[in-house]
Amino acid sequence: MIRLLILLCLASPATAEIVVPARTLPAQTLIGPDDLLLRDIASPGSIEDPALIIGMETRVALFAGRPIRPSDFGEPAVVDRN
């Protein structure tokens, strides 16, 4: 019985706190600290540190509660005049 319990614990997917949007963010939106939440979800390849994406710009629409991937955001666009 103990062996079965140990196997079940080892077989479960590991979870970690990842960053998810608090609300839907359209593409080309600057990401602020109020736009992000931490959730305990198993999602490999997702962003775990909110400091990495605060101040960045969304490349695609980010939907509330879904994991944020590194390809979903980038440096903010800089526009020069003339």
Side-chain angles (χ1 to χ4, degrees):
M1 184 63 154
I2 293 176
R3 289 182 185 174
L4 179 61
L5 182 60
I6 292 172
L7 285 175
L8 288 175
C9 290
L10 293 176
S12 64
T15 59
E17 282 194 337
I18 63 165
V19 179
V20 297
R23 61 183 178 87
T24 299
L25 301 172
Q28 300 175 344
T29 302
L30 287 178
I31 302 170
D34 295 335
D35 297 326
L36 305 173
L37 298 172
L38 288 173
R39 297 280 184 216
D40 195 25
I41 303 171
S43 183
S46 298
I47 302 299
E48 296 177 0
D49 184 9
L52 295 175
I53 61 174
I54 292 174
M56 296 292 195
E57 183 178 71
T58 59
R59 291 184 178 164
V60 296
L62 302 177
F63 297 99
R66 294 204 178 164
I68 299 174
R69 309 263 183 226
S71 61
D72 294 341
F73 63 92
E75 293 289 329
V78 177
V79 179
D80 291 329
R81 292 185 138 185
N82 298 331

